[in-house]
Amino acid sequence: MQPRDTYTTVEEFLSDESFRRWVRFRENHLYWEEWTLESPERAKLVAEARAWLIAMKIEETPLSSQEVEI
């Protein structure tokens, strides 16, 4: 995974587990808030990614090793 400072698309944020946990559970809230506010362009991208994640309301379901092998 690339450093999040280099993210340029919504999809990159959506694939970042830390980002998803922040949106869903407010984990590392201060870090993400401060990091987001460092750049207006970043703030816009983060806001869009948050909106997508909230709209999707996808629950993460762990897969068993047997399911992974199929």
Side-chain angles (χ1 to χ4, degrees):
M1 183 163 83
Q2 66 188 20
R4 67 180 61 103
D5 286 340
T6 63
Y7 289 178
T8 59
T9 67
V10 168
E11 290 82 3
E12 290 168 320
F13 283 100
L14 294 178
S15 68
D16 185 311
E17 182 177 350
S18 176
F19 175 78
R20 294 190 312 266
R21 295 188 68 75
W22 169 57
V23 172
R24 295 176 65 214
F25 308 115
R26 297 182 57 85
E27 287 185 12
N28 297 317
H29 180 69
L30 289 177
Y31 164 78
W32 276 100
E33 288 292 322
E34 290 174 3
W35 181 81
T36 298
L37 295 174
E38 290 176 1
S39 162
E41 296 83 18
R42 180 185 299 159
K44 182 179 178 184
L45 195 59
V46 166
E48 186 177 350
R50 285 185 77 195
W52 272 102
L53 191 58
I54 291 167
M56 291 187 300
K57 293 184 183 180
I58 295 175
E59 294 295 322
E60 294 183 22
T61 306
L63 298 175
S64 70
S65 58
Q66 183 180 16
E67 290 172 310
V68 172
E69 290 178 11
I70 295 176

